Amino acid sequence: MEYKPRPISRRTLLIGAGAGIAAGSLAACSPGEKKESGAGAGHADFDVVVIGAGVAGLAAARELTDGGKKVVVVEARDRIGGRMFTDRTSMPVPVDLGCEWIHGRDASTWDLVHALKLKTHHDTVIATRERPGGPWKKSVQDDPRPDYKNYRIVGGYDQILAPIAAKLSIRLKTVVKRVEYSSTGVVVTTERQGRPVTYKARAAVVAIPVAVLAADTIEFSPPLPKAKAEIFKSVPQESIHKVIVAFDHSVFPRDSAALSEADVIQDDSTPWYVLGPPQGTPGPKGRVFTALIEGEETTRALALPRERRYAEVLGVIRDFMGDPKLRPVKFLEHEWFKDPFARAPYSKYGIPGEDVIYEPTGNSLYWAGIITESVDTSRDSGMEVGGTVLQRLGEK
């Protein structure tokens, strides 16, 4: 009997239009980078080595640098941002392959948005249709509780990285292999372009995802305390995946921020939504959609051959739009579970013994981010740990 995969659940797939265009990209940013090579390179002393240039690591480095410390950030990727990843080259408009929303008006990242005078948009205009291909009906839906509103930045999320990373010393394409630590300092051994590069410092801040730590890709000497190593491996990972689809023409109703399928293809009590680009976004309109798969469906969908996964997503979009002849011009996805420097999109909060993760180790090893699931909490964690290390080393 031929195996036929179960279609992606409509409860767990959200289709959204891509975000807007921004001037300039931080994808290849490496402020203060120096050419280093050979086993003896990089032996100049630092006050702190920060491992990971995601939001938590950058925030910690920003706090320490502003406090007068000599800091170097080592990052395995060829870009900064970690799981904040705005792709500006693959689609007609930039798309966020990782985090996308500011969650609520209380998020601490609003100071960056205001300082940079960035525009944000909260989706309020909802369009529905009663039959496939039928007319769209529009209504305004808005939650008056500011902590429940999700906002997107017009021009891409990664714009907020500029002031955090400004003038930091960042080494890209630098993969950490070993961390030796003691009460007097750390020695961080990395690999860069096939050559070992070593950094010595009074302290280190580890700011990489817990799934990477659980995979034991970094050797710690002496070994980390058993309780900490075990808690790394016990943290469950959230299942979520995006498939981005581009069309050669607009298929999105004008002047709508979001769509709801209403009774067209609804098979349970949860409505579908299609998100349009934030108002004010330049560039092509209504041509790029992001299919978001969540929960158990993620594992099933990612186990499919890529072509079959794309076909399922396209089928859902065709049903939704009432046009079985819709043909895409391009697909795009980033498989975070296969990304060796992420190994998961994000992790769950509130596990027993979670506080053990953030306990300093050996009076020289500190931990930031690790299991935060939003940009503002990642930044808050980095700033807090940066302040703690600053106090320990003595503020200038």
Side-chain angles (χ1 to χ4, degrees):
M1 179 181 295
E2 181 183 1
Y3 170 70
K4 295 183 179 180
R6 182 167 55 90
I8 295 174
S9 167
R10 291 187 171 87
R11 174 182 291 274
T12 55
L13 181 61
L14 175 69
I15 307 172
I21 296 174
S25 172
L26 288 168
C29 177
S30 182
E33 186 167 1
K34 300 177 182 178
K35 293 186 179 296
E36 299 169 336
S37 62
H43 272 207
D45 288 337
F46 292 90
D47 291 312
V48 184
V49 176
V50 176
I51 301 173
V55 174
L58 293 175
R62 174 84 278 142
E63 196 80 4
L64 289 159
T65 300
D66 290 348
K69 299 306 176 186
K70 186 178 181 182
V71 181
V72 63
V73 182
V74 292
E75 166 58 46
R77 295 184 174 90
D78 61 357
R79 60 175 181 83
I80 64 174
R83 286 175 287 187
M84 175 186 286
F85 185 9
T86 304
D87 187 313
R88 302 178 182 279
T89 61
S90 301
M91 288 289 177
V93 296
V95 290
D96 281 305
L97 296 174
C99 51
E100 191 165 359
W101 283 276
I102 301 174
H103 301 292
R105 276 290 181 185
D106 294 331
S108 61
T109 44
W110 281 105
D111 65 325
L112 299 171
V113 173
H114 297 321
L116 294 168
K117 297 182 179 180
L118 301 176
K119 295 181 179 179
T120 60
H121 179 64
H122 170 57
D123 302 323
T124 57
V125 180
I126 309 298
T128 62
R129 67 193 332 173
E130 296 178 354
R131 64 182 186 279
W136 293 103
K137 298 180 180 180
K138 299 175 184 177
S139 62
V140 176
Q141 299 183 10
D142 193 15
D143 195 319
R145 297 167 294 179
D147 54 325
Y148 279 80
K149 294 181 180 180
N150 290 322
Y151 298 81
R152 286 181 290 164
I153 297 177
V154 176
Y157 211 152
D158 68 352
Q159 294 174 97
I160 71 167
L161 297 178
I164 308 177
K167 298 183 179 180
L168 293 181
S169 179
I170 304 175
R171 309 292 195 264
L172 299 179
K173 301 180 183 179
T174 304
V175 182
V176 175
K177 296 295 186 178
R178 178 181 171 90
V179 177
E180 301 172 60
Y181 65 95
S182 68
S183 60
T184 58
V186 298
V187 177
V188 179
T189 302
T190 72
E191 184 177 287
R192 191 176 184 198
Q193 297 179 338
R195 298 180 178 181
V197 182
T198 303
Y199 299 91
K200 297 171 64 177
R202 298 165 64 192
V205 175
V206 181
I208 58 178
V210 69
V212 177
L213 292 167
D216 295 326
T217 58
I218 299 176
E219 178 188 0
F220 289 90
S221 179
L224 295 175
K226 183 178 179 180
K228 189 182 289 286
E230 289 179 348
I231 203 72
F232 288 157
K233 297 181 184 298
S234 70
V235 176
Q237 305 304 313
E238 292 282 7
S239 294
I240 190 169
H241 182 66
K242 291 180 177 181
V243 177
I244 298 160
V245 190
F247 297 89
D248 63 0
H249 66 284
S250 177
V251 296
F252 202 89
R254 296 179 59 185
D255 304 322
S256 296
L259 310 181
S260 173
E261 66 178 346
D263 296 326
V264 178
I265 55 174
Q266 182 174 334
D267 58 8
D268 51 40
S269 60
T270 303
W272 278 58
Y273 294 97
V274 177
L275 300 179
Q279 291 181 6
T281 297
K285 309 295 183 183
R287 288 169 45 184
V288 179
F289 293 82
T290 300
L292 180 63
I293 310 169
E294 296 181 288
E296 295 179 358
E297 283 298 303
T298 304
T299 302
R300 189 198 67 81
L302 288 176
L304 296 174
R306 180 170 293 177
E307 292 76 13
R308 184 175 293 184
R309 179 164 65 247
Y310 290 170
E312 286 196 7
V313 170
L314 178 60
V316 172
I317 294 176
R318 285 172 170 171
D319 286 348
F320 192 102
M321 305 308 297
D323 185 353
K325 296 182 179 180
L326 274 179
R327 293 190 178 278
V329 295
K330 191 172 186 179
F331 287 94
L332 175 68
E333 63 182 354
H334 184 85
E335 296 189 50
W336 293 103
F337 286 104
K338 292 184 179 179
D339 184 330
F341 309 123
R343 295 180 178 262
Y346 60 95
S347 306
K348 291 185 179 181
Y349 282 114
I351 62 170
E354 184 177 294
D355 292 344
V356 172
I357 288 176
Y358 301 100
E359 293 176 355
T361 310
N363 201 37
S364 60
L365 208 53
Y366 296 80
W367 310 83
I370 311 297
I371 58 170
T372 55
E373 64 175 8
S374 65
V375 173
D376 58 298
T377 54
S378 293
R379 184 192 181 206
D380 293 345
S381 175
M383 293 175 66
E384 181 180 357
V385 172
T388 299
V389 178
L390 203 57
Q391 289 182 350
R392 184 256 182 192
L393 298 181
E395 191 169 358
K396 289 186 180 179

